[in-house]
Each structure stands twice: as C-alpha cells, then as structure tokens.
Amino acid sequence: MSATPASDQSRSDELARLRSVVERTRPVSTADQRVLPVLGVLEDLLPGGGLQRGSVVRVRGPVGATSLAFALVAGPTRAGSWVACVGAAELGWAAAAESGVELDRLVVVRPTDSTLLGVLATLVDAFDVVVWGLSGRASNTDARRLRARARERGAVLVLVDPRRRNVGSDPWPDAADLELRGVGADWSGIGQGWGRLTSRRLVVEVAGRRGATRPRRGELLLPGPTGAPTATASPGDTGSQVDTGPQEGTGSRGDTGPQVDTVVELRGERSA
Amino acid sequence: MGDRSAPGPVRTLALRCADWPVVALGDRADAPVAVLDADRIVAANPAARALGVVPGLRRREAQARCPSIHLAERDEPGEARAFEVVLAELQQLAPRLEVREPGGCSLPTVGPSRYHGGDRALARLVAQRVRTALATHLGAGRVPCAVGVGIADGPRAAAIAALEDLADHAGRPEPDARGVGVVPPGATAEFLAPLPVERLGVEPPAGSTVADWDELTALLRRLGLRTIGRVAQLGAADLSARFGSLGVTAHRLATGVETEGPVLAAVPPDLRVSAAVDPPAEQVERVAFLAKALADTLHVELAGRGLACTRVLVSAETELGERIERLWRHEGALSPAAIAQRTRWQLEGWLATGRSAGRERGGIISLSLEPDQVVPDDGVQLGFWGDDGAARDRALRALARVQALAGAGSVLVPEWQGGRSPGEQYRLVPIDTVDLAARARGEDRPWPGRIPPPSPAVVEHHPRPVELVDRDGNRVEVGGRGLISAAPARCRVDGGPWSEVRAWAGPWCTDERWWDALAHRRRARVQVVLGPSGRPHPSHAEAHLLALEDRRWWLEASYD
C-alpha cells in the first residue's frame, strides 16, 4: 500500500482533527490521575512522583514522622493548595516553615472529640490536603467513609503517627494507600558536649497498595542544615562546619574531656 | 441659614472620643492605663499621660516611665462593640453615619441641623447625647470620656475642629455649654490659619496615607511653614509643582475649599454585591465568613475596572425587618479582609447593644456591600491570599461550616511572633482576628539566643519532666557560670525507661526578663541524642531539646 504525499497529508490532518475531538470529549480526569506536586527531594521516593489526589497517606515513626509530614505538605502549599491540620497541638511551626511549608495557606483546626469526625469530613470536602495527627479514633465505618470522601473530592488525607503505639488500639483501622515510615536516623553536627544538631540522615521506607506494592527505601537529609529537606550527599563528603550554637550561649567544650566511645555515626566531624 | 449657601463641600459634623481604645476597655479610669499595638503605645488615659506615657512609646519605655501602668493589648472588635453605644445614639439624630474607625465618626449636617435648629444646637445636642450615653454605659463613678464635636465645611476641616474642641477642654471633665467647635460656613480658612501645619495630616483623604502626610507636614515645617495659614498663602501652582497632587489637596484644605482630592474616580453603577442568608444567622461568625466572600467578589469586580474601594456601605437586614447600615472609610484602600472585619465589628456591636437593651434582634437574613467611594488602584492592594481563588473560596466556606460545628475559636492560623524557645516563635491565633493580607513574617529577623535551625518538629505545650544523670547516676546540673557539672550519660522522660545519651551539646543559657520579678526566667538548654541502652548501634536516634529551670530538667521539644 503506497501512500501518496497528498493522502499522507490528509491522513495527518484527519489524525489531528480526531485528536482534538478526543481532547474535547475525554472525560474529566479522574481524581487518581491527578497528582499534587511535592518538593524535589521527595519526588523519587513517592510512586507517581507526588501525592496522589484522593489517597490516604499514613506517615509513621519510629522516627521522623512529623518532619516527613511537614515535608510532604510543603510542596502542595507552595503550589497553591490549602492544608488543614487537625489534632495538631504540639507541632513546631518554625520547623514547618523551615521545611518549606507556606504557613499562609495552612490552618489549624481544633475540634472537640464529639465533632472530630464531622470536622474531618467537612475539611476533606474542601481542602487539598488534610493532616490528621490521629488525635482521636476513627471506627471502621468512619475510616472507610472518610476514605471514600477523600477519593471522591480528590483530597489527600495525611495521617501522622509520630509516637510508637501499642498495636491494640490503632486509631485508623482502615488501610492506607501509601505508607511512609521513618526507620533509621542519625544526626550530624553534635558530639560529646560540642556542636549542635545540624542535620539528620533519615531512612524512609515507602510501601503502599497502588503502584508501590514492593516497599522501597530512600534516604534524605530531613531536616537538612537549613531545616529544609535536602538530598543526601555522597558518602565521604563531610563538608559541614561545626557550629557552636547560639552566640549568647556559653558552651562547655572541653569541660568533660574527649569521649572515645562515640557510637552515633558523625558526619560533621570537627574539621580542625 | 448659612449652611444653605455653603459652596462645594458637604457641611459635616465630626465626633471624636479621646483615647477610645482605653475607654473601650471600660475599667480603671483613674489608674494609668495604656493600650498597645505591635509593641507601641497607641492610646493612654489622662492618668498615664500625666506620667509621661504618650502614644508611640515602646512597651519598655512606658513601663520605665510608669512601672505601675496597666498595659492592655489592642482589641479592635471590642472597641467597635463599645462604640456601637455612641453610634446607636447618633443614629437617632441622623440616618447615615460614616465610621472611620472606632472612636470617631462623621455625618452630613444639612438635614439634621435644619431640623434641630442650627449647627450649634445640633453640635451641642450631639455632644450631650454622647456624653450621657457614655456615662450610662461606662457606669457611675467613672471619669467620663472626653468628647469633641466639630462642624465645618467638609469632613476633614470638621475633624480638625473636633480635635481642637477636644484639646480645648482637655482636663475639664464637665465642659461648659460652649464646648463645641462650630466653624461658621465659609470661615474654614480663618479657623485653620493659626493651627500648626501638622493638623493638615488629620484624616488623610482617599488615596493617601498617614505616612505621606507626616512626610509632607514635616517637610513644610522644615521649610518654615509652621501654620496652615502660611500654606494657604502659597500658590496652588507652586505647591502642585513641588509636592504633586498631595500639595494640591493640602492647599485646598488650607484655603477651606475641601474636596475629596483629585484622585477620586466615579463609582461604577451596579457594583452592589449582596447575599441572602438562609437559614437566618444568629451568630456573627457565619455572617463574617459570608462577608469575606462578598468582599472578595467586590474586590475582584473593582480590580477588573482598575479601582480600589476607600469607603464602603455595609448593610444587613434581620428577619424582624430591622436594617443596619454603616459607611466605613479607610485611608488607602479597604482590602477584602478589612471589609470583612468591619462588617464583623458592625454586627457584633449591634447585636451586643440589642442584647444589653433586652431586645430581640432576630437572625440576619441578608447582607450587602456597596462601594461608596473608589480610587484608581495604584497597585498597593494585593490579592487576598494569593490568587488561587477557587481553592481559597472552598477552604473559607468549609471553615465557616467548621466554626459553626466546633465553635468560633476552633480554627486557628500560626502567626510569627519571635522568641527564644521553640514554642514562642509562632503562636496560634483565631483565624478571624487576623488580617490575612498582612501577616507577620519574620524568618529573616535575628533573635539572639534562639537555637539556630533546624527547629524541633514537635513542641511540648506542657513540658514533661526529665531525669538526666551522669555516668555515676548523679543529677546533671548547670552552674551559675553556665558550666555543666558532668557529661550526661542517661536520661528518662516522665518516669519511662532509661535511654543512653549518645551525643549531647550545650548548655546554652538564657536569662530572660531579668527586670521583671514575676516573668523572670533563667533556663539552660541542651540538645541530646538518645538511643536505647544496651544496643551498640541504634537504628534510630531520637533527638530532644531539654531545658533546665529551677533545678529541674524538662523536655521542651523533640526533633521528630
């Protein structure tokens, strides 16, 4: 079948026309096709490179759950999404701002125990991201209902579980679409009586149901030296300077003598 | 009567209550009291002023001049609620009141003065009514609030007259019958001539700010023009050449031909936005959120025409058929948040006076906003929370529902305030007390003595007790010179299991508010990295910020 140039031309025209028809008549993109952008460091870690709209993301410890939650919502707030935090009495807002959260688009809601679930449902209706510190407890039905609502409205429900809990009383009995776990951490910049906490290498395990059945692991500096999450430097690159902490403070370096049995792996060794 | 022949500007009555923010507190009339806003004194009562506490001082300076002074934070909604007493009284004399801010209002006099028998009679009547209302409201035994009333050809001249009137009988609690500042029609220029040039900056007209006028009057004074009369003698062309439109406005005021300034634009028709409230709202919160949405619509409409609103008519109607209207004015332009805030003040005050008078007000069934005066938008006004209109609208509507569900104080936003401890740097404030367009951001300002970033992600609101011991099991202490007694070895929180201290840093000592016996705090902070004891290489290290105070260790925050 030999195609003449003229028929080629008409065929490509036809294709272009059909494409535009497809474009116009395509159903509105469903919620799970859309993704909320996250900070660059987290893109490789998350399946789909962002927060899937309509999903439930559970962030848990044993370490770094709160920081991970801040890092997760930082991207959406920067892109113009609104975030509501429920049951978040003890969050450090300075840390949130340092990890890149636009506090202008963040509200904190403190419902009473009896109104908690109603408030959560209302917020899921309207906000792109709802962070729940698992302050109360959702029953099986409530959890399923909230999840269905999040999926319908294209909201992301982030459950934060910073403290290790006993297994018996899981406040969220339903499954999560994605689970992030901070499983390993070591701090740099601090020694035996000198330096200060400057950054933490955090090992994150990501597991989930959709597109991430096989758990993967990643590493990042969370918080990094400025508080913002940053990618880990290659091993051996220990250029960080030791800071002696607040200027007005009186350090007690040398008072206790050098300690030999340093167990924590230190990356920011004293350069001098 | 003379006012019929008054040319051009509208003959206006202006009312000023002295130190309204202090009066609105409603207590301690004889002890020194001052009101602070952003660490500056904004108002002080006569007792405080006698001791040298004047507006503009910092908190610390005021406390140095008068250690016994009672300092209160500014409460604008409270001021507006209290001022409603005055407005309700004036509403009986004149239908349309213009409120600039709580403590001052004005009304056109043409009709009312004819009815009450002349400007002077009206002024006296207003002064007397307001004094009586305030005395009843503040209760017997209080020193009544000083009230100044001025009538002149135009709102700004009237405001100056009211201030002069106030200054006239300052210190005299019971003014004589003369105590009103009525400037005869056409005599405004003579009235203003001997006054200091700074008076020109009273009530900046639409499109200019207090700062613009301060700069202008300071310059005029340095140029040797110390009175308004000297400014009037100059040619309008000269002032215009040197100072632009501000100079022209100043000259017009000085010569008594006050206009609203050359920058006014015509109000486009059909810009009234209104909404029905169904079911009728008994709580102000619901209406306030509606007002925010309406204000935003109005803002978008005006922005599309390149305009900004400087005076807005807010009217609400109740199911009992009552109607409440107020004109609100603002120097510069009213942002949507500011309009919503004023709506809230208006309704709160009105509901409060209804309740105290034992009258049923009924729910509010409709609300409307109408721009009354507009200026070309010179780009000062920012979009409200960025321009993500749809997301914001949805969010605000949901928050209105949440407030109805969980109570008014349940929705908060973090606001920067600065401080040394991690819990002090941000505080949570109810969302509708914040002007969302102008929020404090302070990440780049230094706070000596704070622990540098990264900041702890979890801040304990009620610090938990901690035991921190050295290798021999003795408690670790920090001496008066800021030296630690021994290297901490083990730690436990709240009587939990012991953990091993893997690394630590500090102590960093702070000595805060040493001048104040009650608020004085001395603390030493250390950062510790903990791991479970017995394991050589922990998979996860927990980092905490501990503070030593009164010889006890507390867990202040965690680097989770």
Side-chain angles (χ1 to χ4, degrees):
Chain A
M1 210 169 116
S2 64
T4 63
S7 73
D8 241 1
Q9 180 63 34
S10 68
R11 194 168 158 216
S12 69
D13 282 356
E14 186 71 359
L15 271 178
R17 195 183 64 80
L18 283 174
R19 271 201 202 98
S20 76
V21 170
V22 166
E23 198 65 37
R24 267 183 287 135
T25 55
R26 191 174 61 177
V28 179
S29 58
T30 52
D32 58 1
Q33 282 175 324
R34 284 172 290 155
V35 166
L36 290 174
V38 289
L39 297 179
V41 201
L42 294 171
E43 274 176 10
D44 295 338
L45 210 56
L46 301 178
L51 283 175
Q52 298 277 348
R53 276 179 177 273
S55 65
V56 175
V57 179
R58 185 159 185 175
V59 188
R60 53 206 317 184
V63 282
T66 315
S67 307
L68 269 173
F70 282 153
L72 277 179
V73 303
T77 57
R78 287 185 162 188
S81 292
W82 279 63
V83 175
C85 292
V86 184
E90 307 197 320
L91 296 186
W93 301 112
E98 284 162 13
S99 22
V101 177
E102 287 285 341
L103 293 180
D104 283 359
R105 275 189 284 273
L106 180 140
V107 295
V108 179
V109 182
R110 285 191 185 157
T112 53
D113 286 350
S114 55
T115 54
L116 173 70
L117 288 157
V119 165
L120 277 172
T122 313
L123 292 174
V124 163
D125 270 356
F127 282 76
D128 283 343
V129 183
V130 178
V131 179
W132 180 24
L134 292 178
S135 45
R137 195 180 173 284
S139 73
N140 247 320
T141 340
D142 292 331
R144 267 206 305 279
R145 211 172 276 159
L146 271 177
R147 225 171 78 137
R149 202 141 178 180
R151 179 166 303 170
E152 187 192 334
R153 310 298 300 213
V156 180
L157 182 59
V158 179
L159 310 169
V160 190
D161 218 352
R163 304 261 156 79
R164 272 160 289 179
R165 296 167 182 276
N166 299 328
V167 197
S169 61
D170 192 349
W172 182 263
D174 201 28
D177 297 298
L178 189 69
E179 193 166 296
L180 276 79
R181 252 171 210 279
V183 289
D186 64 60
W187 281 92
S188 4
I190 186 168
Q192 299 297 320
W194 54 265
R196 65 176 174 89
L197 297 170
T198 53
S199 66
R200 170 177 63 186
R201 206 183 68 211
L202 186 69
V203 183
V204 185
E205 216 173 67
V206 184
R209 310 200 305 182
R210 268 190 258 158
T213 37
R214 204 161 53 84
R216 42 170 132 175
R217 260 172 186 254
E219 264 188 26
L220 70 161
L221 290 184
L222 181 66
T226 56
T230 34
T232 39
S234 55
D237 174 24
T238 54
S240 62
Q241 298 262 324
V242 170
D243 194 320
T244 46
Q247 266 94 60
E248 287 190 352
T250 321
S252 63
R253 277 170 74 168
D255 292 338
T256 55
Q259 299 283 317
V260 189
D261 51 347
T262 309
V263 183
V264 174
E265 184 195 337
L266 297 172
R267 286 163 52 78
E269 294 290 345
R270 267 186 280 192
S271 45
Chain B
M1 270 199 333
D3 51 3
R4 218 172 309 164
S5 61
V10 187
R11 198 146 166 82
T12 308
L13 178 146
L15 170 87
R16 289 289 171 279
C17 297
D19 311 318
W20 187 255
V22 176
V23 175
L25 288 177
D27 61 354
R28 302 182 189 228
D30 40 354
V33 184
V35 173
L36 283 168
D37 190 21
D39 205 41
R40 295 271 184 187
I41 304 280
V42 290
N45 69 354
R49 269 204 308 271
L51 292 163
V53 178
V54 291
L57 290 187
R58 286 179 184 283
R59 178 195 289 267
R60 231 184 257 180
E61 292 164 327
Q63 282 167 334
R65 290 184 189 187
C66 173
S68 66
I69 194 164
H70 170 69
L71 291 174
E73 283 294 332
R74 186 160 199 182
D75 169 28
E76 285 189 323
E79 286 167 30
R81 267 199 301 278
F83 197 56
E84 191 63 31
V85 177
V86 175
L87 293 178
E89 200 63 37
L90 290 182
Q91 195 109 51
Q92 296 170 11
L93 300 176
R96 212 177 230 208
L97 301 172
E98 182 185 318
V99 189
R100 186 190 184 86
E101 55 182 5
C105 66
S106 55
L107 49 103
T109 61
V110 179
S113 351
R114 207 170 293 162
Y115 183 81
H116 292 287
D119 284 346
R120 198 161 279 276
L122 175 70
R124 223 171 278 149
L125 186 65
V126 165
Q128 185 210 333
R129 285 272 190 111
V130 170
R131 278 194 198 102
T132 322
L134 280 176
T136 335
H137 172 66
L138 295 174
R142 305 278 183 213
V143 177
C145 157
V147 175
V149 177
I151 296 183
D153 299 342
R156 300 186 61 208
I160 295 174
L163 284 179
E164 284 303 309
D165 180 38
L166 207 55
D168 260 4
H169 54 256
R172 270 181 293 152
E174 283 307 321
D176 51 18
R178 190 204 58 83
V180 286
V182 176
V183 180
T188 306
E190 291 100 277
F191 162 71
L192 293 174
L195 298 179
V197 72
E198 280 76 18
R199 285 278 194 238
L200 284 177
V202 169
E203 298 240 321
S208 58
T209 65
V210 175
D212 294 342
W213 283 91
D214 283 351
E215 200 184 323
L216 175 71
T217 52
L219 185 54
L220 290 173
R221 177 164 284 274
R222 285 205 301 280
L223 291 172
L225 302 162
R226 294 203 173 79
T227 61
I228 296 180
R230 300 288 299 277
V231 178
Q233 283 164 16
L234 294 176
D238 294 339
L239 276 170
S240 160
R242 177 70 179 78
F243 300 107
S245 69
L246 208 57
V248 175
T249 316
H251 188 260
R252 286 200 177 151
L253 173 60
T255 49
V257 279
E258 187 176 338
T259 60
E260 272 299 344
V263 288
L264 275 194
V267 181
D270 304 335
L271 266 187
R272 180 190 163 97
V273 289
S274 57
V277 187
D278 189 30
E282 301 274 351
Q283 296 147 324
V284 178
E285 275 80 30
R286 272 185 61 205
V287 187
F289 267 94
L290 185 65
K292 260 180 190 165
L294 280 184
D296 209 52
T297 319
L298 184 66
H299 176 69
V300 169
E301 285 282 323
L302 285 169
R305 292 167 164 86
L307 298 171
C309 179
T310 56
R311 198 165 71 173
V312 66
L313 176 72
V314 178
S315 48
E317 212 170 315
T318 68
E319 49 191 342
L320 300 180
E322 265 188 292
R323 191 177 174 80
I324 174 172
E325 280 189 353
R326 291 265 185 280
L327 273 174
W328 291 93
R329 165 200 279 276
H330 193 267
E331 69 192 42
L334 283 158
S335 70
I339 295 179
Q341 196 181 28
R342 279 158 180 76
T343 309
R344 197 187 163 89
W345 291 351
Q346 172 175 338
L347 298 177
E348 267 186 353
W350 179 64
L351 289 174
T353 48
R355 236 172 267 135
S356 63
R359 260 190 299 157
E360 191 57 48
R361 291 291 198 196
I364 288 158
I365 55 164
S366 82
L367 179 72
S368 78
L369 304 177
E370 190 175 348
D372 186 66
Q373 203 175 62
V374 293
V375 291
D377 191 352
D378 53 3
V380 180
Q381 204 168 5
L382 300 172
F384 174 34
W385 266 353
D387 277 323
D388 44 333
R392 181 203 46 229
D393 287 352
R394 265 193 305 150
L396 289 184
R397 275 200 299 274
L399 291 177
R401 285 202 297 278
V402 166
Q403 287 195 320
L405 204 64
S410 61
V411 180
L412 312 154
V413 289
E415 193 180 57
W416 186 86
Q417 61 171 4
R420 288 183 188 85
S421 70
E424 279 171 6
Q425 285 156 19
Y426 281 84
R427 61 173 176 175
L428 290 172
V429 292
I431 189 167
D432 33 41
T433 63
V434 184
D435 184 355
L436 296 166
R439 293 181 53 192
R441 295 168 158 269
E443 289 84 50
D444 51 345
R445 292 182 231 166
W447 261 98
R450 68 168 276 204
I451 311 281
S455 304
V458 174
V459 176
E460 303 285 343
H461 277 253
H462 303 289
R464 291 190 284 159
V466 166
E467 287 167 71
L468 188 68
V469 296
D470 63 10
R471 188 162 299 189
D472 305 325
N474 299 322
R475 210 185 46 186
V476 174
E477 296 189 37
V478 176
R481 289 170 179 267
L483 297 181
I484 201 156
S485 63
R490 286 182 306 142
C491 170
R492 72 171 176 177
V493 181
D494 246 352
W498 285 97
S499 309
E500 202 171 315
V501 176
R502 305 277 170 171
W504 61 279
W508 300 296
C509 305
T510 55
D511 194 354
E512 292 176 296
R513 301 180 173 274
W514 42 265
W515 59 87
D516 185 339
L518 289 176
H520 181 197
R521 295 190 84 172
R522 274 184 67 128
R523 273 173 290 185
R525 296 197 169 88
V526 296
Q527 289 177 330
V528 292
V529 177
L530 304 181
S533 45
R535 254 189 280 165
H537 193 92
S539 63
H540 45 76
E542 290 176 14
H544 299 287
L545 183 67
L546 309 183
L548 177 71
E549 188 174 11
D550 289 335
R551 300 167 61 79
R552 293 174 72 183
W553 286 97
W554 300 93
L555 178 70
E556 234 184 5
S558 300
Y559 294 82
D560 182 52

